[in-house]
Amino acid sequence: DINGRFVRQLHRNTSFAAGKSPTVWWDGKDRDGNVSGAGIYAVRFEYTYIGNEGVQLRTRTNKPVVIIK
């Protein structure tokens, strides 16, 4: 959530084809199956890929998500 508490992991060790943008759905529930309240959540995306020189690289970015009920 916006306070930095872990809510739920949506994907882990999932491979996607190069150049494809995957769609990730969240049903609004936390890791225990409880419905999360309205508010602002930070979604963290982490990508691991092989760069031009054959070196494994990792990119991390956070994006805000607003839940309105």
Side-chain angles (χ1 to χ4, degrees):
D1 64 12
I2 196 65
N3 294 313
R5 294 179 296 231
F6 179 81
V7 176
R8 183 172 170 193
Q9 183 170 308
L10 301 178
H11 284 276
R12 183 180 176 104
N13 297 329
T14 303
S15 296
F16 299 101
K20 300 291 182 182
S21 297
T23 299
V24 177
W25 293 96
W26 178 41
D27 59 7
K29 295 179 182 176
D30 65 15
R31 62 181 161 197
D32 296 323
N34 302 310
V35 176
S36 298
I40 300 172
Y41 292 82
V43 178
R44 180 187 217 172
F45 294 95
E46 294 186 14
Y47 306 94
T48 302
Y49 58 96
I50 305 299
N52 292 336
E53 301 296 321
V55 177
Q56 183 173 328
L57 303 169
R58 177 175 290 164
T59 300
R60 294 181 181 140
T61 185
N62 294 322
K63 300 289 182 184
V65 175
V66 178
I67 305 297
I68 301 171
K69 293 187 178 187

